[in-house]
Amino acid sequence: MINDDNDDQPQLSAETLKALQEWQQEQEQNNAANKPQEDWQLSQFWYNNETATRLMDEVRAILPEHGQCAFVACPTVWNLIRKEHPEIHSVLFEYDTRFSTGDNTFVEYDYNDNDRIEQNYAYLKHSFDVLIIDPPFLSRECFEKVSHLAKFIGKTTPICKNIICTGAIQEENIKEFFPGATRVTFQPRHERNLMNPFACFVDYETKTLNNE
């Protein structure tokens, strides 16, 4: 009698096999797009393509000719806009150096290094017309420190336009640290469904984010 060695091998359930195949497919797609995997310890959750596209379209609608846009802890939209509209000067402020480009479109940023903002980014003071901000952590401390960066790198004349995407429960922090910002109807969504609903706030008259 011939023994089939495979009989002794553990078999994956159909559900586990499907999850593994989906993960492998996602890995291949991310590698093709040069997009690192989410690191949950860094509180990284990538937007889905529809959300990234909506935010990119808003940037295009409000950015003045030859204007500059910065993305604070928001690599998904930055990646897309670099791919679709390389003519737009866009800079990513991000802790995760996997996104480093080796040029001036990536700036290493740690919100905990708040006392060194002026020293670290003096060459970018009041440089940007538009900021898209996704504070990495849902805490008052994080919002306060990120707002300091926004005030330092955002233009004052004409005043910089801020788009803030974060958990809906952070509305009070938005009001405190980004005065004048109000919630729009557009709701950011992620590749993975999060427990906390997200919301989008702007401190100017939006062109597209109140459209259904």
Side-chain angles (χ1 to χ4, degrees):
M1 182 176 179
I2 299 175
N3 290 326
D4 188 349
D5 292 339
N6 290 331
D7 290 344
D8 297 327
Q9 298 296 322
Q11 300 295 315
L12 296 177
S13 69
E15 183 178 350
T16 301
L17 183 59
K18 180 182 178 183
L20 177 60
Q21 290 171 337
E22 290 176 350
W23 180 83
Q24 290 174 331
Q25 183 179 18
E26 182 180 322
Q27 291 275 333
E28 292 171 358
Q29 291 173 344
N30 286 336
N31 289 338
N34 195 29
K35 183 172 69 174
Q37 287 296 298
E38 297 166 331
D39 185 337
W40 293 356
Q41 291 185 336
L42 297 179
S43 190
Q44 291 178 336
F45 304 97
W46 304 152
Y47 297 141
N48 64 21
N49 190 64
E50 180 182 359
T51 290
T53 300
R54 285 289 301 274
L55 291 170
M56 177 183 69
D57 290 345
E58 175 72 4
V59 169
R60 294 181 61 216
I62 63 175
L63 193 68
E65 187 176 7
H66 307 304
Q68 299 188 82
C69 182
F71 300 80
V72 180
C74 187
T76 319
V77 188
W78 172 76
N79 256 334
L80 182 64
I81 208 165
R82 288 177 69 239
K83 176 183 176 182
E84 299 291 336
H85 295 281
E87 74 280 3
I88 294 177
H89 183 65
S90 57
V91 176
L92 175 66
F93 286 74
E94 170 61 48
Y95 180 81
D96 189 348
T97 56
R98 292 180 299 168
F99 289 98
S100 178
T101 56
D103 58 27
N104 61 1
T105 62
F106 174 86
V107 176
E108 189 172 352
Y109 168 64
D110 182 351
Y111 82 90
N112 288 306
D113 206 9
N114 189 59
D115 294 336
R116 295 168 60 87
I117 285 178
E118 293 192 19
Q119 177 181 340
N120 291 345
Y121 312 121
Y123 66 104
L124 292 171
K125 184 176 182 178
H126 302 324
S127 293
F128 296 98
D129 301 275
V130 176
L131 300 182
I132 296 188
I133 303 165
D134 187 342
F137 295 96
L138 302 182
S139 69
R140 186 180 185 279
E141 176 194 22
C142 182
F143 273 76
E144 181 177 16
K145 291 179 177 180
V146 168
S147 73
H148 292 166
L149 174 71
K151 291 171 184 174
F152 186 78
I153 64 174
K155 283 187 176 179
T156 56
T157 307
I159 193 166
C160 177
K161 296 178 172 65
N162 293 307
I163 304 170
I164 308 104
C165 297
T166 187
I169 61 173
Q170 297 300 312
E171 190 158 359
E172 291 304 313
N173 283 329
I174 294 290
K175 291 178 180 178
E176 180 176 359
F177 297 116
F178 294 91
T182 58
R183 185 170 177 172
V184 295
T185 58
F186 167 68
Q187 183 177 357
R189 299 188 184 279
H190 298 78
E191 291 180 353
R192 306 176 193 274
N193 292 326
L194 303 185
M195 294 294 292
N196 296 322
F198 254 58
C200 181
F201 304 82
V202 302
D203 60 1
Y204 62 94
E205 186 174 350
T206 177
K207 297 291 187 181
T208 68
L209 297 178
N210 275 327
N211 300 338
E212 295 297 333

